[in-house]
Amino acid sequence: MSDTSTNIDETTIEELRQIAARYPQARSALLPMLHLVQSVDGRVSPAGIEACAAVLGITTAQVSGVATFYTMYKRRPAGKHHVGVCTTALCAVMGGDILMDVVEEKLGIGEGETTADGTFSLERLECNAACDFAPVMMVNWEFMDNMTPQKATDLLDALAAGERVQSTRGAELVGWRQTERVLAGFPDGRADEGPTAGAESKLGLGIAREQGWKAPAAPAPAASGPSEEEAK
């Protein structure tokens, strides 16, 4: 990469060490460490790769292999708000492809690009495991459910204007970098904001309660004594 700029400083390095210290095997900390790098540099920067490698005692190639495998890690700067549109199966049937077209036209960018002012970046997402709310968008990894072209346009206008926007099933939206810091393991105290489940997700539970359905009893544990062969 030609862009070698970075905001990583000694405070960041110390926080990377804190993350690594949480794991019995330090290398297991690489995923949250990369999220911390993104919270500081807006992407997985060359300096961030080097810092993670140094803290963990592994090679930069090993870090890069992980950073390029998972789509949540960006090698180019993401926007202040990272928008994802699900176009997998059910979301596509319910209008996900149309939503993607609307968002691309509204922002003037394509998939994997960032607006010139750095406000928005766009990603085509694979299944968000929210089929009961299809079609689904995400902003900074927070759910925006049951979207329509008009709702998507209004959402983008509100974010561009700096207005407060509440996730459908989660906290009030903050910037993508702030969300990345939470994913790195530094809570912002907003985990309990907003509903954690919608009526659609709990429909089956309600029907089960109305019908008096219960899970079958667990089988009795097997006897722990010696086997018949061992007793001979």
Side-chain angles (χ1 to χ4, degrees):
M1 295 178 62
S2 58
D3 182 4
T4 59
S5 62
T6 184
N7 295 309
I8 293 175
D9 56 17
E10 284 303 315
T11 299
T12 308
I13 299 299
E14 178 54 34
E15 289 183 335
L16 289 171
R17 295 191 183 109
Q18 289 176 24
I19 296 172
R22 297 171 185 166
Y23 294 82
Q25 295 185 16
R27 184 170 176 174
S28 300
L30 182 53
L31 298 184
M33 289 170 70
L34 290 172
H35 281 299
L36 182 64
V37 169
Q38 291 196 138
S39 76
V40 174
D41 278 345
R43 71 195 197 286
V44 177
S45 60
I49 290 175
E50 292 176 1
C52 290
V55 169
L56 297 178
I58 60 180
T59 67
T60 56
Q62 289 171 314
V63 177
S64 293
V66 172
T68 55
F69 182 82
Y70 295 102
T71 58
M72 288 183 76
Y73 301 120
K74 312 303 177 187
R75 301 307 297 272
R76 292 180 291 182
K80 176 181 179 181
H81 296 296
H82 185 66
V83 179
V85 180
C86 182
T87 58
T88 305
L90 186 57
C91 276
V93 171
M94 297 297 288
D97 289 317
I98 296 173
L99 278 179
M100 188 69 178
D101 292 341
V102 168
V103 174
E104 286 183 332
E105 182 176 356
K106 176 70 175 176
L107 298 180
I109 58 175
E111 177 186 357
E113 296 178 346
T114 301
T115 56
D117 63 1
T119 301
F120 294 101
S121 51
L122 179 60
E123 179 178 2
R124 183 186 297 271
L125 296 176
E126 292 301 322
C127 184
N128 277 326
C131 299
D132 40 355
F133 298 99
V136 173
M137 286 175 54
M138 296 195 88
V139 179
N140 306 331
W141 312 129
E142 294 285 0
F143 284 109
M144 306 303 296
D145 300 326
N146 300 315
M147 295 300 291
T148 66
Q150 187 60 56
K151 288 168 69 175
T153 298
D154 293 343
L155 169 64
L156 296 174
D157 284 340
L159 291 172
E163 297 175 10
R164 297 176 65 177
V165 177
Q166 183 76 31
S167 167
T168 310
R169 287 176 290 125
E172 180 179 320
L173 298 182
V174 294
W176 180 72
R177 292 195 186 196
Q178 293 98 307
T179 304
E180 284 295 297
R181 182 170 175 81
V182 174
L183 292 177
F186 296 94
D188 60 2
R190 302 182 312 116
D192 295 325
E193 271 189 33
T196 56
E200 294 90 336
S201 298
K202 297 185 287 186
L203 182 60
L205 176 62
I207 294 173
R209 287 174 173 169
E210 290 174 1
Q211 300 296 323
W213 297 340
K214 295 182 179 180
S224 57
S227 66
E228 182 178 337
E229 190 66 29
E230 292 173 333
K232 292 180 179 179

